[in-house]
Amino acid sequence: MTDSKPSSNHSIKIIAGSDKIMRRVSKLISVVKFGGSSVKNIGRIQHVAEIVKTRMEDGPVLVVVSAMGDTTDYLIKLAHQASSKPDQRELDHLLATGEQISITLLAMVLRNMNIKASSYTASQVGIFTENVHNKARIVDIRKQTLLDSFRDNEVIVVAGFQGVTTGGDVTTLGRGGSDTTAVALAAALGLIECDIYTDVDGIYTADPRVIPEAKLLERISYDEVVEMARLGAQVIHPRAVELARQYEIKLRIRNTFKPEHTGTVIDGGEDMEVYRTVSGVAVDKDQSSVCIMDVPDVPGIAGEIMQALADKNIVIDMIMQALYPTAGLNNMTFTVNSSDLDETIDALEKMTGRLGAKGVIFDSDIAKVSLIGSGMAGQPAVAAKLFTVLGKNKINIKMISGSEKKLTCVVAASQADAAARVIHEAFGLGDREGT
Ligand code: ADP
Ligand code: ASP
Ligand code: MG
């Protein structure tokens, strides 16, 4: 694909062409995304602009950027100073401003380098989402609007993380959502590749900042990365990988500060399952467990509880209900993202009287530690080894759940990093060559 792209001078002429030519041009565009640490200050934005300039040798470039450094955290803090329970619509409006700063600055730096670049918000390029705030999903992207923005530009810089409803309200896609913006734009353009530039060399067997022995993976399957990302590996947004899998877009995770490094390729990876039982360990400290106690054990109750949470768009995980010593009663326990904890408790407490349940208890001092691997299915020795190593290291397991590609243990938050370290070591994840 790269080889067939015209030089940047040639591409400028094509860009000014007819609709038919524009459709052909769409296939030549590179979509690249830079995260918050890559655009933390003007110096880094200038460095990003140099990478973009190099990428222009292959054709027009669509750049997606996140907010500068910790801007989104800062904006959330401000919102909570303004209100103990910020209105979700207003919060989205506020958060979207973070990316609007970085897109304009990058476009200015590029223009200063005599590159025809313009910045665009999600509403300007037509990234439409559900009418949901804080974790909206993209439902439609207007390809023609996107292409039109290339008519007078060699580079367009699009704000990540944000969207717009058909009613014109600003939405955001959830923390880390700029990755999803990039993949969705690549999909809308019918591209087969998308590069995500970040502050590490690629995807490792564990967070390299917590486990320095973690190994860089040259290649990994969509399925494994979806699990890793859902289970807390911050390196990429899970929905970005789901979209890439759906549209068969090859993702490359690479380091902004070592742009020559090949990074990690995420693709279908069919042949990888054969030789890799486990691929990595992920930790999610942003979790809380919630239990609704002594719920009447009758048909329909679980549905009612889950519906109340679904109505509030609260995502829950590790749902557990088991044998209970008192006939006719049961406990229902699950985990939620800590940012949804207050709303979850509120929704459940409103139901307890009507359901005849005893009450709601929670634990916000927990973390999920997960072992991920496509080759784990049907191998009970993996679970045995995992639980044994935690036990040997005096790490108590509070909850367990598993599926074909992962095993998750809830442990005390203070023990999460130690748990990840001993698991990583027990499975020899740092020892492998050429994975
Ligand atoms: P960006 O600002 O570029 O979006 P993020 O901070 O969202 O970057 O994600 C990059 C970070 O993800 C890394 O700095 C690293 O600490 C963390 N991380 C967690 N798990 C992994 C992993 N398995 N491989 C690589 N990085 C990981
Ligand atoms: N700026 C947003 C965040 O910090 C989105 C992103 O960085 O991907 O979550
Ligand atoms: Mg990120």
Side-chain angles (χ1 to χ4, degrees), residues 33-38 66-67 69 176 178-179 196-210 214-217 228 232-237 253-254 256 280-283:
K33 179 258 170 179
F34 293 88
S37 49
S38 305
S66 297
S178 299
D179 299 326
I196 309 282
Y197 287 87
T198 183
D199 57 359
V200 287
D201 287 353
I203 301 206
Y204 286 78
T205 49
D207 187 339
R209 297 190 196 285
V210 180
K215 257 213 134 53
L216 182 68
L217 300 166
M228 272 192 178
Q234 196 192 340
V235 63
I236 185 147
H237 199 232
I253 312 295
R254 49 203 309 186
T256 306
V281 179
V283 173

Side-chain angles (χ1 to χ4, degrees), residues 420-435:
R421 242 176 248 121
V422 295
I423 295 169
H424 193 267
E425 198 186 335
F427 284 90
L429 286 165
D431 305 335
R432 282 193 307 231
E433 289 303 325
T435 45

Side-chain angles (χ1 to χ4, degrees), residues 18-27 143-144 147:
S18 69
D19 280 354
K20 202 168 153 203
I21 296 175
M22 287 304 290
R23 276 199 296 278
R24 287 223 309 270
V25 167
S26 75
K27 300 279 178 216
K143 182 176 177 184
Q144 196 52 50
L147 287 180

Side-chain angles (χ1 to χ4, degrees), residues 301-339:
I301 293 276
E304 208 173 320
I305 294 172
M306 292 304 131
Q307 190 57 52
L309 300 175
D311 289 345
K312 294 192 175 292
N313 204 21
I314 295 171
V315 179
I316 63 168
D317 192 23
M318 292 184 82
I319 310 167
M320 288 182 187
Q321 200 182 280
L323 287 176
Y324 196 75
T326 315
L329 291 177
N330 217 320
N331 281 347
M332 185 182 273
T333 308
F334 50 84
T335 53
V336 288
N337 202 290
S338 293
S339 59

